[in-house]
Amino acid sequence: MAGSKPLSRFWEWGRNIVCVGRNYAEHAKEMGSALPAEPLFFLKPSSAYVREGSPIVRPYYCRNLHHEVELGVLIGRRAQAVPQDAAMEHVAGYALCLDMTARDTQEQCKKKGLPWTLAKGFGSSCPVSDFVPKEKIPDPHKLQIWLKVNGKLRQEGDTSSMIFSIPYLISYISHIFTLEEGDLILTGSPKGVGSVEANDEIEAGIRDVVSMRFKVVQGTEPRSLKGV
Ligand SMILES: O=C(O)/C=C/C(=O)CC(=O)C(=O)O
Ligand SMILES: [Mg+2]
């Protein structure tokens, strides 16, 4: 139950995972998408969390699983309609996160005007690092985040390039719904997203702060969904 566990194990809280999209101009460009005039966001279920030691499971319906490395911001105090200048008081700390994306499924959803849940919200779509307390990161807009696949660098971005800053995002979201203690905001991916296959190893980090490794495995197709 939320509240009975330490925030340093936020992935056990079962709180909201709020993901911001197209928050880096070069990533929006590589996707062929327009820059957002206001933050674009979507949710993942809390069962999407996965920790080091467990694999990222590629959904059986996905032919093109993409990595997106993102800075996660952990809410430490309830935020309801907070102004930008008070927003950082609601932050407990940070984590490195992956917004794993079934890109082919997302393309289909975009064409049909459907939500992105199948593409972004499957089990293990949100690998997360250890919690990093706020005190260890004096300026979250001055971080280098990176990601390698099988030892090769794929993504390298600087959080100073975010279109919408962390205080703006917290303020904006908190005017739409209340952010609760234990909620995590994924702040969007820099450029360089790309495919991973079963047996690939993903390593990612916030330079000089934290790193993590995950193996990708293939999910199996259910024999039948009849009777569900
Ligand atoms: O613009 C697109 O086609 C896709 C955008 C995303 O997947 C958004 C993100 O999750 C992101 O920018 O991090
Ligand atoms: Mg993303």
Side-chain angles (χ1 to χ4, degrees):
M1 197 182 80
S4 62
K5 296 183 171 96
L7 261 180
S8 55
R9 296 178 70 83
F10 64 89
W11 51 88
E12 293 176 353
W13 278 52
R15 291 296 201 191
N16 299 306
I17 304 172
V18 186
C19 304
V20 178
R22 301 176 188 159
N23 200 25
Y24 287 78
E26 290 194 343
H27 172 53
K29 190 172 164 196
E30 74 182 348
M31 298 308 302
S33 300
L35 295 187
E38 288 297 341
L40 166 129
F41 64 93
F42 54 92
L43 299 172
K44 286 182 192 272
S46 56
S47 53
Y49 278 132
V50 61
R51 295 277 300 148
E52 261 186 310
S54 295
I56 297 168
V57 182
R58 176 174 149 146
Y60 69 90
Y61 51 80
C62 170
R63 299 278 167 270
N64 189 16
L65 179 63
H66 269 199
H67 54 77
E68 296 188 358
V69 68
E70 311 197 3
L71 177 68
V73 177
L74 188 70
I75 298 297
R77 186 152 68 81
R78 197 165 201 263
Q80 187 171 32
V82 295
Q84 269 196 79
D85 60 7
M88 295 308 284
E89 294 163 23
H90 297 261
V91 172
Y94 304 92
L96 186 70
C97 308
L98 304 183
D99 171 15
M100 296 305 297
T101 302
R103 195 67 77 193
D104 51 337
T105 310
Q106 187 189 32
E107 288 306 322
Q108 292 301 316
C109 294
K110 280 163 65 181
K111 276 190 200 136
K112 294 178 187 165
L114 293 173
W116 293 356
T117 312
L118 267 178
K120 297 276 201 178
F122 53 89
S124 81
S125 63
C126 191
V128 287
S129 74
D130 287 346
F131 170 70
V132 181
K134 179 182 183 172
E135 297 70 36
K136 291 208 170 160
I137 297 193
D139 186 350
H141 301 99
K142 276 192 189 152
L143 297 173
Q144 271 108 48
I145 54 177
W146 56 271
L147 179 143
K148 293 179 183 175
V149 177
N150 302 329
K152 286 204 172 146
L153 189 65
R154 292 266 191 98
Q155 288 192 267
E156 200 168 26
D158 198 304
T159 55
S160 62
S161 305
M162 283 182 200
I163 297 172
F164 301 108
S165 70
I166 295 165
Y168 187 88
L169 291 171
I170 292 171
S171 176
Y172 183 90
I173 295 166
S174 78
H175 280 84
I176 295 168
F177 57 83
T178 302
L179 286 162
E180 303 279 6
E181 189 179 7
D183 285 354
L184 183 74
I185 302 173
L186 271 61
T187 54
S189 175
K191 69 173 180 190
V193 301
S195 302
V196 285
E197 306 292 339
N199 299 319
D200 281 352
E201 189 188 66
I202 301 179
E203 191 187 353
I206 304 174
R207 186 153 297 139
D208 301 327
V209 178
V210 74
S211 67
M212 61 188 192
R213 274 172 202 269
F214 287 89
K215 187 120 183 156
V216 180
V217 301
Q218 182 59 49
T220 48
E221 183 164 3
R223 272 195 290 162
S224 171
L225 288 175
K226 280 194 190 131
V228 170

